[in-house]
Amino acid sequence: MSKEWKVGELAALTGLTVRTLRYYDQIGLFSPSGHTESGHRLYTESDIARLQQILSLKELGLPLDQIKSVLTGEALSLFDLVSLQIVRLKETISVQQKLLRELEQISVLMRGKDRLTVEDFTQIFHAMRMSHEQYFAERQKSWNTHLDRLGDYLGGRPNRRHEGGKPNE
């Protein structure tokens, strides 16, 4: 008999919220394979594999409606997905370069003991906010790694090595 997880258990395993999993079910993106007699959602290993696909596509920056189309085979080729990732990486690099320029400019002003203006601080705050948003996108990627490890565990490969030759923990 294969293992099944209730929504709360799946949320704990993946780091997603129960609310997110229920929303994915509500919009038809990620529905459980079954339900208990009392109506609780039950997820299987194949459901978890689908969730990993969803989160990977989300990491590429696709909105949920496009992810749904990709998974049903209606849109986006592998080339399209790679192209989207290239665009996303270029945007990330651009945001980081802008933050670097702003910080360098502030550093020059501070070194010269010039008085910083409200506009100087506003530019820095804006650049830092953009960088902060990028940080949270990177955290999502870390969750995908977590899901990969979970998939390895479920697939009977708990000691598979990842980047850097470090075993899963």
Side-chain angles (χ1 to χ4, degrees):
M1 178 177 226
S2 65
K3 173 91 172 125
E4 294 180 322
W5 294 265
K6 290 183 180 176
V7 70
E9 296 168 326
L10 183 60
L13 282 173
T14 61
L16 296 172
T17 65
V18 169
R19 183 177 179 181
T20 296
L21 292 169
R22 288 180 177 155
Y23 177 70
Y24 287 178
D25 185 16
Q26 179 184 354
I27 64 171
L29 178 63
F30 178 66
S31 298
S33 292
H35 292 82
T36 65
E37 289 181 18
S38 58
H40 295 284
R41 295 168 174 85
L42 290 175
Y43 297 93
T44 64
E45 290 178 15
S46 62
D47 293 331
I48 292 174
R50 180 176 171 91
L51 181 58
Q52 195 279 327
Q53 290 176 321
I54 291 167
L55 294 178
S56 293
L57 293 169
K58 194 171 181 212
E59 170 63 23
L60 291 175
L62 272 74
L64 296 178
D65 59 338
Q66 279 189 336
I67 291 172
K68 189 174 180 182
S69 295
V70 168
L71 292 176
T72 58
E74 296 175 17
L76 296 179
S77 67
L78 183 57
F79 175 79
D80 293 332
L81 291 174
V82 169
S83 297
L84 281 171
Q85 190 168 20
I86 289 169
V87 167
R88 188 173 160 268
L89 285 171
K90 285 180 178 179
E91 289 171 357
T92 299
I93 291 167
S94 174
V95 166
Q96 294 300 313
Q97 287 174 335
K98 181 176 183 193
L99 177 59
L100 176 61
R101 285 189 305 273
E102 297 292 338
L103 289 172
E104 287 173 338
Q105 180 180 353
I106 291 296
S107 176
V108 167
L109 291 173
M110 291 174 141
R111 207 171 325 133
K113 302 208 186 307
D114 287 345
R115 187 169 169 92
L116 299 178
T117 66
V118 171
E119 290 79 20
D120 293 330
F121 283 111
T122 302
Q123 288 175 350
I124 286 294
F125 291 144
H126 177 72
M128 290 172 69
R129 183 175 47 86
M130 295 298 287
S131 180
H132 184 71
E133 290 171 3
Q134 203 62 39
Y135 166 79
F136 284 106
E138 292 302 318
R139 294 300 303 151
Q140 178 66 38
K141 184 176 181 178
S142 134
W143 282 113
N144 287 342
T145 301
H146 177 73
L147 286 175
D148 288 342
R149 289 179 180 170
L150 175 63
D152 290 344
Y153 175 77
L154 294 173
R157 300 180 308 264
N159 292 321
R160 186 175 129 188
R161 295 201 175 266
H162 283 274
E163 297 174 37
K166 295 181 181 177
N168 289 338
E169 298 182 44

